[in-house]
Amino acid sequence: MATTLTFTFLTLVLLLVEKATVDGRTATLGKEHVRGIIGAIIDYSSRIGKEQKVAMEMAIKDVFNKTNQRFDLHIKNTQSEPVQAALAAWDLIRNQQVQAILGPHTWEEASLVAEIGNKAQIPVLSFADTTPQWATKKWPFLLQASPNQNAQMKAIAAIIQSWEWHQVTVIYEDNDSLLSEVIPHLSDALLEFGAEISHTVALSPYASSSSLSVELERLKGEQHRVFVVHLSFTLAVRLLERAKEMNMMEKDYVWITTEPFTSFIHSLSASSISSMQGIIGVKSYFPQNHSHFQNFYTRFRKNFSLENPEEDKNEPGIFAAQAFDAVQTVCLAMMRSSEGSQPLLDNIMLSEYNGLNGKVQFIDKKVTPAHIFQIINVFGKSYKELGFWSKRKGFSVTTDERTANNTSMRSLEKVYWPGGTWTAPREWTLPTNANPLRIGVPTKSSFKQFVSVVQDQSKNSTAYEGFAIDLFQAIVGSLPYYLPYNFTPFEGTYDEIVEQVYFKKFDAVVGDVAIVAKRFRHAAFTQPYTESGLVMIVPVRIRPQTTNRGLLFMKPFTKAMWALIGAIIVYNGFVVWLIERNHNPELKGSASNQIGALLCLAFTSLFSFHGGKLHSNLSRMAMVVWLFVALVITQIYTANLTSILTVQKLEASVNDVLRFHKEEYAHALRSKEIAAAFLEVPFAKLFLAKYCREFITAGPTYKVGGFSYVFPRGSLLLHDVNKALLNVSDSGRLLEIEKSMVASEKCVDYVESIEEVSSLSPTTFSVLFMLTGGASTVALMVYVVFHKLFGHKTIWRHLGVMRNRWTFSPRLIDM
């Protein structure tokens, strides 16, 4: 309803202004001796309005004293009412015939005045702290005469970054310009430093004390304790005084104020200052040590005290300097317009000179923004100046351009914080109505030494034990504050328990939770508290210390293998002897002589080929095949014996595998159900501590995230827990807990003999033995069949003689 009435009223005023403009009544009539007429719209009831009024009147006098040119100044009081501002603008144009309007200070007023000034084609120089980008395009006659407040948002972000805060709450005055300009600029500046706006609180310019109390009570119940206050001076004073009454100016609270309030801290009464101890303020800096300002400063204090005897403080602030410069800018532009043909608006935008507030120059219809900001700290009966910040130089104690860059506010004078402490607060604290943290603990850990949940049904109690639990308790004990929590068992998978944090069923998870990329969608992780990596566990071959080194040459082959080698040698020797006996006199003679010749022929064939002394192709065939087999066997024997003599006591039985089963590792590895098991490094340490003689790591270490504790994304606890974790690690406590866990595992004495692992059995050479045995058998069969058909009597006679001699020969018996 109020908006509709305002719109209707504004429409009526615009029609009147349009008619006045058509009638030509905005021209200066009957005042040829006056060089120009300036209108101003301010709020006499505010400190800003009082300072602006005195400064404007001083500027008019100074221009006359310097140029002997007279300018009229008509000031209208609006009481910060937008409708009053619109009426004042219409009156100034219609009755006072002003050529330019200065003010007002709030955007709600400025937007209405800009609409009226645009219709009358009269420049309006706004003192509002922020003018939206679209405003100067909609109203071409609108200029922003006060520096844009967006630049100071980078200074505030730099302060927040200096103290390593990451979450801030912004309390601002609810109007469109702040939503579209200031808040986004602060958000972008914070993001550059890895911080963010966690909450925003919009307050009406006319907020009652009860509504302020409600908002503050809600903030008090939250964890966040860093507040950025971007309010008008009057509203900011009311809010901060109420915060003091509600014990929100105590330890662990941080209050940072912006230009609209900070620039008028000098005007606060002693009672107000006492309720704002520890506040950090940011305000635009303007030089005050040159003679021009000192002269203005002296005269201003005198004039201000005469006009405002009720005010305790009479020092001018930046808004007084801005108002003084704005009046002089318009006066100089009016003189140039009267001397030339350029419109007043163009001459204002072409202004460029050094004023009280620094260099006065308009860029894109906005006065040059401040580039140096002063950092102050409310302390004692007033405030102290901590230093300065600029985009180019960072923080410094002076404005000297030769000052070295410094990105941290810690380089400035020490800060006095709320609650009377000199130690920087952390950015959060537990809410006043906080319940203990609900911490989920997984029950399906593969290694109970890391986390174990033991439920006692008889006592209706649950015990939580293990490395992850002990370490977390040490971390909580290292925090600089009390942190209540309750453990809750969780029966699901590790992915599911992480999801419970996302769904707010748990405030954290404590256990052997691996940092996996897909889990980052649901939660945040602390720094890993274990060594990160994935290793492969495989069985080992162990050489017993009691092995008889003298018989080590027998180890490459099993006993069955040695027996088979001996049998095949004798068999092959017999076949060759039988075939070659009639052709070689050396193979004849007594039975003992023939047996010796047979064995000699068999064993020497392992190392040389007697092809030149053999007369039968059958014997040559059998010998060639046996020699090939003997060559392969001797080479494999040599290699295996070399391996046994040079291999370490513990050696991996597998070099690399790709698949593994995580349950019953030891049993599965022993039974060869799996070839290897992949374990995280902390699990591998425990496993090898227990099975120190049976298994060993092999292959490379694969990089993984390690084990961590889980917290909600954006949790304010995360930073403190990480810091406490580092403290526990640096103190050596983490190593002590880990050593205690590993030491609790006793090594199981399990030994596997090397004879069963490295000796080669006949199965390995079955094909070779079949090849040589088959060749010799074929040769023997061909020889027997051939001689049966053509000379079998001779053969059997030889065999009969051999049989008789072996049976009755005394010499054979003597053997």
Side-chain angles (χ1 to χ4, degrees):
M1 184 67 179
T3 304
T4 303
L5 291 175
T6 301
F7 178 78
T8 303
F9 174 76
L10 177 61
T11 303
L12 178 62
V13 171
L14 291 175
L15 289 174
L16 292 173
V17 171
E18 187 172 1
K19 184 177 185 303
T21 304
V22 172
D23 292 344
R25 295 177 182 175
T26 57
T28 303
L29 301 176
K31 295 186 178 181
E32 292 79 4
H33 59 286
V34 177
R35 203 63 180 267
I37 304 175
I38 303 172
I41 301 175
I42 60 178
D43 179 10
Y44 285 173
S45 63
S46 68
R47 173 74 186 209
I48 294 176
K50 294 175 182 179
E51 289 193 16
Q52 287 176 334
K53 179 178 182 299
V54 172
M56 289 178 180
E57 292 170 346
M58 290 176 60
I60 291 292
K61 292 180 181 179
D62 284 1
V63 170
F64 178 79
N65 292 334
K66 291 179 181 178
T67 65
N68 201 30
Q69 301 290 324
R70 179 183 170 187
F71 293 89
D72 280 354
L73 176 66
H74 297 278
I75 301 177
K76 294 291 184 177
N77 180 19
T78 66
Q79 301 293 325
S80 293
E81 290 287 345
V83 173
Q84 292 293 332
L87 282 172
W90 178 80
D91 183 68
L92 289 171
I93 294 172
R94 178 71 175 82
N95 299 320
Q96 306 302 329
Q97 302 163 2
V98 298
Q99 297 162 272
I101 297 177
L102 306 182
H105 184 72
T106 67
W107 172 243
E108 290 78 4
E109 298 172 275
S111 60
L112 296 181
V113 174
E115 183 70 32
I116 295 172
N118 199 63
K119 286 290 184 180
Q121 297 186 353
I122 290 178
V124 175
L125 280 71
S126 169
F127 290 139
D129 58 359
T130 301
T131 299
Q133 293 288 346
W134 53 265
T136 54
K137 295 179 180 179
K138 181 178 181 180
W139 301 304
F141 282 82
L142 174 64
L143 301 173
Q144 181 174 323
S146 60
N148 195 306
Q149 298 302 309
N150 297 335
Q152 73 172 308
M153 297 301 127
K154 291 187 177 294
I156 293 172
I159 293 174
I160 292 169
Q161 187 269 340
S162 297
W163 305 104
E164 300 178 2
W165 299 323
H166 300 88
Q167 305 278 336
V168 299
T169 296
V170 178
I171 305 174
Y172 65 96
E173 198 160 334
D174 189 9
N175 61 64
D176 292 340
S177 63
L178 286 175
L179 286 173
S180 61
E181 295 288 328
V182 174
I183 301 299
H185 277 78
L186 177 58
S187 178
D188 292 342
L190 289 172
L191 287 175
E192 293 181 10
F193 297 116
E196 64 180 355
I197 298 174
S198 57
H199 291 82
T200 56
V201 178
L203 298 179
S204 167
Y206 313 104
S208 63
S209 297
S210 60
S211 63
L212 292 179
S213 298
V214 170
E215 292 293 345
L216 288 173
E217 190 64 38
R218 184 173 64 84
L219 293 176
K220 191 175 182 180
E222 299 289 340
Q223 291 181 315
H224 306 83
R225 290 294 184 266
V226 179
F227 303 111
V228 175
V229 178
H230 190 71
L231 301 172
S232 63
F233 177 73
T234 303
L235 184 57
V237 170
R238 292 174 56 211
L239 175 77
L240 296 173
E241 288 180 342
R242 187 73 189 110
K244 173 65 175 179
E245 295 172 3
M246 297 176 63
N247 297 321
M248 295 180 68
M249 286 288 174
E250 303 300 324
K251 183 181 178 182
D252 293 329
Y253 283 89
V254 177
W255 295 89
I256 303 174
T257 60
T258 61
E259 181 87 82
F261 172 77
T262 310
S263 292
F264 281 96
I265 283 184
H266 66 276
S267 66
L268 288 174
S269 63
S271 60
S272 295
I273 283 288
S274 65
S275 64
M276 303 175 188
Q277 296 293 297
I279 288 177
I280 294 177
V282 177
K283 66 177 183 177
S284 299
Y285 167 76
F286 62 97
Q288 303 180 21
N289 52 2
H290 54 80
S291 58
H292 183 37
F293 179 81
Q294 292 298 325
N295 179 268
F296 168 80
Y297 179 82
T298 302
R299 292 185 295 122
F300 179 91
R301 294 184 63 187
K302 179 180 178 181
N303 294 342
F304 188 84
S305 296
L306 290 174
E307 291 192 23
N308 305 281
E310 73 281 1
E311 294 285 342
D312 297 332
K313 307 290 182 65
N314 55 17
E315 294 84 1
I318 190 172
F319 292 105
Q322 290 172 1
F324 185 92
D325 289 343
V327 170
Q328 288 206 332
T329 299
V330 173
C331 290
L332 294 175
M334 285 179 172
M335 286 190 290
R336 288 196 298 271
S337 294
S338 64
E339 296 171 358
S341 58
Q342 279 189 316
L344 176 59
L345 178 65
D346 293 342
N347 279 320
I348 293 175
M349 290 191 294
L350 292 173
S351 299
E352 185 175 355
Y353 69 98
N354 289 323
L356 291 180
N357 198 38
K359 187 176 182 179
V360 177
Q361 181 181 11
F362 286 88
I363 300 176
D364 295 332
K365 296 185 179 181
K366 296 181 180 181
V367 74
T368 305
H371 65 280
I372 300 178
F373 295 91
Q374 191 170 25
I375 314 298
I376 66 154
N377 183 206
V378 177
F379 176 66
K381 297 181 179 180
S382 183
Y383 64 88
K384 59 178 181 176
E385 298 174 352
L386 300 178
F388 305 89
W389 181 89
S390 66
K391 183 178 180 180
R392 193 166 67 89
K393 304 295 291 184
F395 292 96
S396 60
V397 293
T398 67
T399 57
D400 191 340
E401 289 294 326
R402 294 170 295 181
T403 304
N405 291 356
N406 201 315
T407 59
S408 175
M409 182 182 167
R410 297 173 188 267
S411 62
L412 306 182
E413 188 176 343
K414 201 168 184 180
V415 180
Y416 179 84
W417 300 99
T421 177
W422 297 94
T423 303
R426 61 182 186 274
E427 62 184 305
W428 73 280
T429 189
L430 290 175
T432 55
N433 58 351
N435 295 318
L437 295 180
R438 298 163 299 172
I439 298 181
V441 179
T443 61
K444 296 184 177 181
S445 176
S446 300
F447 287 81
K448 300 304 180 182
Q449 296 87 341
F450 264 87
V451 57
S452 174
V453 179
V454 181
Q455 295 181 336
D456 190 338
Q457 299 295 340
S458 61
K459 297 182 179 179
N460 193 25
S461 63
T462 303
Y464 301 88
E465 302 172 347
F467 174 80
I469 302 297
D470 294 342
L471 178 60
F472 181 76
Q473 291 172 344
I475 290 173
V476 171
S478 181
L479 292 173
Y481 49 85
Y482 172 66
L483 181 65
Y485 62 88
N486 291 324
F487 288 136
T488 302
F490 184 78
E491 298 290 342
T493 66
Y494 280 75
D495 287 342
E496 290 172 345
I497 195 173
V498 173
E499 292 176 358
Q500 298 307 305
V501 176
Y502 177 77
F503 295 126
K504 301 186 184 303
K505 298 296 180 63
F506 291 137
D507 298 312
V509 173
V510 171
D512 50 348
V513 182
I515 301 176
V516 181
K518 65 179 180 180
R519 294 174 182 168
F520 274 95
R521 294 177 297 176
H522 300 111
F525 294 84
T526 64
Q527 295 295 325
Y529 63 80
T530 62
E531 182 181 352
S532 61
L534 194 68
V535 296
M536 184 172 64
I537 304 296
V538 297
V540 299
R541 291 196 292 263
I542 308 176
R543 182 177 305 111
Q545 297 293 331
T546 58
T547 299
N548 189 344
R549 306 289 293 183
L551 297 177
L552 197 59
F553 72 93
M554 298 289 290
K555 302 306 178 184
F557 295 150
T558 62
K559 295 177 181 179
M561 180 67 178
W562 283 116
L564 184 58
I565 290 174
I568 201 67
I569 289 174
V570 174
Y571 177 68
N572 286 336
F574 169 76
V575 172
V576 174
W577 169 82
L578 182 62
I579 296 174
E580 292 291 329
R581 183 181 182 281
N582 290 330
H583 305 286
N584 192 341
E586 296 180 358
L587 301 178
K588 299 180 178 181
S590 63
S592 59
N593 183 60
Q594 292 185 55
I595 291 174
L598 185 152
L599 295 176
C600 181
L601 179 64
F603 281 98
T604 57
S605 63
L606 287 170
F607 310 104
S608 63
F609 178 59
H610 303 278
K613 297 180 181 182
L614 300 178
H615 297 82
S616 173
N617 287 330
L618 292 174
S619 59
R620 291 190 185 102
M621 179 188 68
M623 185 63 71
V624 167
V625 175
W626 167 239
L627 186 61
F628 168 73
V629 174
L631 178 63
V632 174
I633 291 175
T634 54
Q635 292 297 322
I636 293 176
Y637 171 84
T638 303
N640 205 19
L641 180 61
T642 302
S643 176
I644 291 174
L645 292 173
T646 58
V647 76
Q648 297 293 324
K649 289 183 179 180
L650 297 181
E651 55 184 4
S653 61
V654 179
N655 288 327
D656 196 6
V657 293
L658 296 178
R659 301 179 183 275
F660 67 97
H661 182 30
K662 294 188 67 176
E663 304 296 333
E664 300 295 337
Y665 303 108
H667 174 73
L669 289 167
R670 289 181 191 137
S671 64
K672 300 188 178 350
E673 179 183 348
I674 59 174
F678 281 99
L679 298 178
E680 290 88 350
V681 170
F683 284 166
K685 289 181 178 180
L686 280 175
F687 187 80
L688 295 178
K690 183 174 183 179
Y691 303 103
C692 60
R693 298 193 182 102
E694 189 177 354
F695 303 100
I696 195 172
T697 60
T701 298
Y702 301 93
K703 292 298 181 182
V704 294
F707 293 159
S708 173
Y709 299 128
V710 184
F711 286 88
R713 299 180 65 180
S715 171
L716 298 177
L717 264 175
L718 192 62
H719 178 266
D720 286 358
V721 171
N722 276 328
K723 187 175 181 180
L725 174 58
L726 291 175
N727 291 335
V728 172
S729 177
D730 292 343
S731 67
R733 177 62 179 152
L734 174 59
L735 185 59
E736 290 178 6
I737 298 174
E738 182 178 354
K739 285 183 177 179
S740 176
M741 175 186 64
V742 175
S744 65
E745 292 297 317
K746 302 299 182 182
C747 183
V748 177
D749 191 6
Y750 181 88
V751 179
E752 183 179 7
S753 175
I754 191 171
E755 288 88 349
E756 298 176 4
V757 177
S758 59
S759 298
L760 300 177
S761 66
T763 305
T764 308
F765 304 94
S766 58
V767 175
L768 293 175
F769 284 125
M770 291 172 61
L771 180 63
T772 183
S776 298
T777 302
V778 169
L780 178 61
M781 292 178 64
V782 172
Y783 174 77
V784 171
V785 173
F786 179 82
H787 283 275
K788 183 176 182 181
L789 295 175
F790 302 101
H792 60 279
K793 293 181 178 179
T794 304
I795 296 174
W796 293 115
R797 185 174 64 248
H798 290 323
L799 292 175
V801 171
M802 285 282 297
R803 183 174 63 252
N804 295 332
R805 288 182 179 179
W806 289 346
T807 305
F808 304 107
S809 175
R811 295 180 59 190
L812 183 58
I813 296 174
D814 292 340
M815 292 174 58

